[in-house]
Amino acid sequence: DVWDGQLAEHGAVVTAARIDILEALRLHFIEAYGSIAPHSRPADLAYLPTAGADLLPPAGESADVEHIRQSLLDRLADLRSKEIDRGVCLVGPHRDDVGVILGDEIAKGFASHGESWSLALSLRLASVALARAEGVEPVIMLDDVFAELDAARRRKLAEFTADAEQLLVTAAVAEDIPSGIGGRRVAIEVVADEEGRRSVLATGEEATGD
């Protein structure tokens, strides 16, 4: 009883905060995915609680900590014998998940390679938008992501990040970077000599764009 009570009390606070932040994040996520992959199926996010969907608030409302606490207590009581048998806690925020939805289904397991990359990028870009809404201008780092996207998605991603104050991009093939992304470009090459293999700045390969 002591364990369940404390798990429900503190878990409800964590769960409520997660639900509320996910609701704020999903609006940016939907916009980002629609910009990167405008011809794909619509994407969305959903909180998947182990204690049951009835602890989720009605659409447009904030999470109710007390309601979540009671839902956790009820579910923990229902599963107590199973938890004792298995020696693990089966309910709580540590076992909850976020569903990335594509169309009408959870994307995991059936989304294409391009869709998976677009969804992952959209989550990062949604985080950027959420940080900006709180007055923080983050540094955006895209590590060789253009190689995983087709030409249309590359162009859309370049357009979506065009207003970034600081954007760092890496690419194994320079041609993978859309022409719309300007700034300073630095080429790196691998050399091998008696000291071994190492990466160095390529002589004469620095370029300044727009």
Side-chain angles (χ1 to χ4, degrees):
D1 290 340
V2 173
W3 172 270
D4 287 357
Q6 293 193 39
L7 176 59
E9 179 182 355
H10 299 296
V13 175
V14 173
T15 301
R18 285 179 174 176
I19 292 171
D20 289 343
I21 199 69
L22 186 67
E23 179 61 25
L25 183 69
R26 63 178 287 271
L27 301 178
H28 299 297
F29 171 78
I30 293 170
E31 179 184 359
Y33 189 79
S35 297
I36 295 173
H39 302 299
S40 178
R41 289 161 288 184
D44 206 343
L45 300 174
Y47 192 79
L48 306 177
T50 50
D54 60 322
L55 64 70
L56 297 173
E61 296 185 15
S62 298
D64 185 335
V65 174
E66 179 56 30
H67 175 65
I68 295 172
R69 187 190 70 83
Q70 189 58 54
S71 295
L72 285 171
L73 279 175
D74 293 343
R75 190 63 176 146
L76 285 166
D78 292 340
L79 295 176
R80 178 170 293 186
S81 60
K82 290 184 179 180
E83 291 187 336
I84 293 172
D85 290 341
R86 295 179 59 178
V88 295
C89 184
L90 300 174
V91 178
H94 56 295
R95 300 188 69 94
D96 292 350
D97 203 353
V98 173
V100 180
I101 301 169
L102 192 58
D104 298 324
E105 302 177 77
I106 300 294
K108 183 178 180 180
F110 82 88
S112 69
H113 187 71
E115 288 171 335
S116 297
W117 270 90
S118 297
L119 290 166
L121 281 171
S122 298
L123 277 170
R124 292 303 182 198
L125 295 175
S127 299
V128 169
L130 194 61
R132 285 175 171 171
E134 297 177 351
V136 177
E137 182 59 41
V139 177
I140 301 177
M141 304 177 69
L142 302 176
D143 186 12
D144 203 23
V145 299
F146 291 106
E148 305 293 339
L149 303 174
D150 57 34
R153 284 188 170 95
R154 291 177 188 173
R155 186 176 62 255
K156 289 295 184 181
L157 177 58
E159 293 172 358
F160 198 79
T161 57
D163 62 343
E165 289 191 10
Q166 297 186 75
L167 176 64
L168 303 179
V169 178
T170 67
V173 180
E175 289 72 21
D176 287 343
I177 302 177
S179 58
I181 295 182
R184 186 170 183 243
R185 298 196 179 197
V186 179
I188 304 294
E189 64 182 16
V190 178
V191 298
D193 53 26
E194 62 275 6
E195 298 179 4
R197 288 168 54 88
R198 64 188 188 281
S199 299
V200 299
L201 288 175
T203 304
E205 291 295 328
E206 293 189 4
T208 302
D210 299 333

